[in-house]
Amino acid sequence: MTDAAPLEVVGLSKSFGSVKALRDVDLTVRRGEVHGLVGQNGSGKSTLVKVLAGYHAPDRGSVIKVEGKDLGAQPKLRHMREAGIAIVHQDFGLVLNKSVAENIAVGSFVPARWSRRVNWRREEQVAADLLSRLESHIDPRAMIEDLSPADRSIVAIARALRNQRPGSGVIVLDESTRALPKDALEDFYRTLRGVVAAGGSALMISHNLEEIMQVTDRVTVLRDGAKSGPTMTTRDSSEAEIALLMLGKIVTQDVHTRVNESPRAPIQVRGLSGRLLTGADLTVRPGEVLGVSGVAGSGWDELPYLLTGARRASSGTVEIDGRVIDLSTAGPARCIAAGLALLPEHRIDHGLAMTLTVAENITLPRVRRRGSPWHIGRRWQRRETDAVLDGLDVRPRRADIPVGQLSGGNQQKVMLGKWLEGQPELLVLHEPTQAVDVGAREDILKAIAAIAGRGVAVVVASIQPADLAAVCNRVLIFHSGRVTHELFAPAPDDIVDAVYGGHLELQEG
Ligand SMILES: Nc1ncnc2c1ncn2[C@@H]1O[C@H](COP(=O)(O)OP(=O)(O)OP(=O)(O)O)[C@@H](O)[C@H]1O
Ligand SMILES: [Mg+2]
């Protein structure tokens, strides 16, 4: 065993044309440590990961060493993988219409062997073993598209482990934990500790500073592509210190933005059923922000899609202004026409057109209302886009580039921005602050309050108690497909108690 570090980058730079995404970054991941990498949206974290993945070639003069060995000027995906660097990307990179075992197997074959000669029974066994190491019972034959976000992230992590020799290598996690509910997170941290206790290492990117404090041994902060201060020992640091290094300003983690609801008639949802929901009844008032949460499998995260026609309900109606829409027959077009708007969880699947520009994405929802696309006034488009770019501090502040070139958090801001300037009857948001840094989180929560302040009824579906507590007038908690708790202006702990309370009682009893 050598005492060289599992991963060392020296003077790493990466430019995209005139954009310097990384500038002269030094970073060492030690054996047996979880190393945190944090920074504002667009600060270069994913770019660093993509260089480590062999996806982007770094600029000249950058050095990447694995176990002391210099990988040369342009390491390729295969070189990085053979060296033991395994990446879990921000959006997992799973193939939705393939099975768990197939997804876990991808990457361990050369393409020519990706054929009938693969022994699928063996692959299923390999997948089952990896999943059980993560204490998960996901069926290796299940399709990814049928899995919850939490299960998908576990599959992605199992796939990374597949390429790992136990006791070596570095698992790189790019916001891989953000979709995990609290209980799954605890299991995941335990697994990660097992991996590093056995001599493996991890490089973990997260916008959740509480998680960074809890899980990492050391932490490196990026700001505008460069290191902001030296790498720190986590326990000698604090959330406030890290946030200051990231943003250059103090942020209040404790945002409070509730607004008063309007006296107009409430929107009534009756008997809403889907795969997990069983006859949910609820009302939302114009101007109210209603939170929705629960454990995995309780149906809370199905509600945004059933309620907006994005997924067909098996039964249920929504009544707006005396008009009743049957959600078991109405498709998305009808729901949009009735003023039901959705901010989905997955940007890539439903939320954004990656090859269209920022301006086109922001103005898309209202183009339909204004008539055919060729009637869009350039000036109108410009004004709408500028308002969103300024309001949410999208970086770079460019309307004309494809959304796909923005960092993950900035894409999230654009997706939210699509609805900021509009006036839907009901806006349903699923995990609205995912992927954004602590500064942008505050901006987004304030923006949600502002939308409600204009008289829009808002539903926020989230597993983040702090987000719900900050912005919701009322929070509904689901268990087994039904609403079991209604909390008025709750504190984060009240929400945690209501979501997990049932389970704790069972364990204690
Ligand atoms: N393919 C690309 N072409 C041009 N610019 C790019 C490309 N990929 C990234 N960038 C730019 O590089 C910068 C760093 O982006 P990166 O995705 O690394 O940020 P990040 O720290 O991961 O942010 P987030 O927290 O939002 O995910 C951003 O300004 C981004 O717009
Ligand atoms: Mg990123």
Side-chain angles (χ1 to χ4, degrees):
M1 176 100 83
T2 65
D3 47 14
L7 175 68
E8 185 181 5
V9 301
V10 185
L12 178 62
S13 297
K14 172 68 196 170
S15 315
F16 298 103
S18 61
V19 178
K20 277 220 135 208
L22 291 171
R23 313 160 193 256
D24 207 16
V25 174
D26 296 341
L27 183 140
T28 302
V29 177
R30 295 176 181 162
R31 197 177 311 284
E33 80 168 347
V34 179
H35 192 120
L37 181 63
V38 298
Q40 199 170 4
N41 294 130
S43 59
K45 305 175 299 294
S46 295
T47 302
L48 189 143
V49 170
K50 287 173 186 164
V51 169
L52 294 179
Y55 182 81
H56 290 320
D59 294 351
R60 279 172 59 137
S62 310
V63 176
I64 303 172
K65 291 185 193 171
V66 173
E67 305 284 350
K69 181 168 165 269
D70 190 334
L71 294 185
Q74 290 199 6
K76 295 277 185 295
L77 179 64
R78 183 167 51 85
H79 303 139
M80 300 311 296
R81 194 179 281 148
E82 282 165 7
I85 309 293
I87 317 275
V88 180
H89 285 289
Q90 192 162 352
D91 291 297
F92 301 151
L94 297 172
V95 185
L96 293 182
N97 60 357
K98 297 268 181 203
S99 74
V100 170
E102 285 172 299
N103 270 276
I104 289 177
V106 170
S108 35
F109 307 121
V110 280
R113 283 170 55 203
W114 174 242
S115 69
R116 265 174 298 159
R117 290 174 55 199
V118 175
N119 179 344
W120 284 112
R121 185 166 301 174
R122 213 198 64 155
E123 288 310 322
E124 278 165 16
Q125 191 53 51
V126 169
D129 291 346
L130 285 165
L131 290 166
S132 71
R133 255 171 84 187
L134 297 173
E135 295 181 36
S136 157
H137 301 290
I138 303 167
D139 179 356
R141 274 183 255 182
M143 289 292 153
I144 300 296
E145 59 201 355
D146 295 330
L147 299 182
S148 67
D151 283 349
R152 290 181 195 192
S153 73
I154 289 171
V155 174
I157 290 156
R159 184 173 61 178
L161 281 178
R162 157 148 202 156
N163 300 318
Q164 215 62 288
R165 288 180 297 279
S168 73
V170 181
I171 294 189
V172 182
L173 303 153
D174 191 352
E175 294 186 54
S176 315
T177 53
R178 67 173 158 75
L180 293 181
K182 194 173 179 289
D183 45 351
L185 262 185
E186 295 301 327
D187 289 345
F188 172 74
Y189 295 154
R190 191 159 4 99
T191 312
L192 196 61
R193 277 193 286 272
V195 172
V196 295
S201 310
L203 180 63
M204 180 185 215
I205 295 174
S206 174
H207 285 298
N208 181 345
L209 297 184
E210 202 183 318
E211 167 174 70
I212 290 289
M213 294 309 294
Q214 187 186 341
V215 180
T216 67
D217 301 296
R218 295 195 304 151
V219 59
T220 297
V221 181
L222 287 183
R223 188 159 161 208
D224 291 332
K227 260 175 94 163
S228 179
T231 296
M232 300 177 285
T233 302
T234 308
R235 89 176 97 72
D236 298 338
S237 181
S238 67
E239 275 183 49
E241 189 185 353
I242 294 172
L244 187 61
L245 285 171
M246 276 172 62
L247 308 175
K249 63 171 183 182
I250 312 271
V251 287
T252 44
Q253 295 270 35
D254 196 17
V255 197
H256 270 287
T257 51
R258 265 177 232 133
V259 292
N260 292 327
E261 54 207 72
S262 100
R264 279 166 48 213
I267 293 172
Q268 305 263 10
V269 180
R270 295 193 187 90
L272 188 59
S273 299
R275 277 170 51 184
L276 295 162
L277 281 185
T278 50
D281 297 322
L282 51 115
T283 59
V284 202
R285 287 189 171 279
E288 179 184 32
V289 182
L290 176 70
V292 165
S293 195
V295 289
S298 63
W300 70 275
D301 52 351
E302 197 181 21
L303 188 118
Y305 305 91
L306 297 176
L307 187 50
T308 53
R311 198 181 294 161
R312 196 62 61 95
S314 50
S315 65
T317 58
V318 55
E319 182 178 339
I320 303 173
D321 269 343
R323 280 170 300 141
V324 177
I325 298 163
D326 183 348
L327 293 169
S328 67
T329 57
R334 268 235 39 226
C335 290
I336 291 170
L340 301 171
L342 171 69
L343 178 97
E345 182 181 33
H346 293 288
R347 297 188 290 275
I348 292 180
D349 304 351
H350 314 283
L352 286 175
M354 290 293 166
T355 55
L356 294 186
T357 65
V358 170
E360 286 162 341
N361 270 281
I362 288 174
T363 49
L364 209 53
R366 272 143 297 129
V367 168
R368 292 207 190 90
R369 290 202 174 171
R370 287 176 68 102
S372 352
W374 51 86
H375 289 137
I376 310 171
R378 287 278 155 210
R379 203 182 306 156
W380 169 77
Q381 192 179 46
R382 186 63 180 274
R383 207 172 44 236
E384 297 265 310
T385 306
D386 282 350
V388 169
L389 294 180
D390 292 339
L392 293 176
D393 192 19
V394 176
R395 295 185 194 189
R397 197 190 170 295
R398 293 268 305 269
D400 57 330
I401 58 173
V403 160
Q405 284 185 14
L406 293 182
S407 77
N410 283 294
Q411 290 176 7
Q412 176 71 12
K413 295 184 206 171
V414 169
M415 188 163 85
L416 181 68
K418 279 170 60 172
W419 300 114
L420 276 188
E421 300 296 308
Q423 187 76 11
E425 298 286 337
L426 174 68
L427 175 61
V428 184
L429 309 156
H430 190 186
E431 298 299 355
T433 68
Q434 62 168 309
V436 305
D437 63 55
V438 290
R441 171 179 175 264
E442 197 175 315
D443 294 341
I444 286 179
L445 293 175
K446 285 184 184 149
I448 292 170
I451 296 169
R454 295 206 304 268
V456 176
V458 181
V459 172
V460 175
S462 174
I463 52 169
Q464 305 296 338
D467 283 8
L468 293 170
V471 79
C472 294
N473 304 72
R474 196 159 54 99
V475 177
L476 302 178
I477 306 297
F478 286 74
H479 283 278
S480 310
R482 282 169 188 279
V483 177
T484 54
H485 299 70
E486 181 177 34
L487 310 170
F488 293 88
D493 284 349
D494 302 332
I495 298 169
V496 173
D497 286 349
V499 171
Y500 296 100
H503 293 263
L504 296 178
E505 275 160 32
L506 284 179
Q507 275 169 14
E508 282 159 15

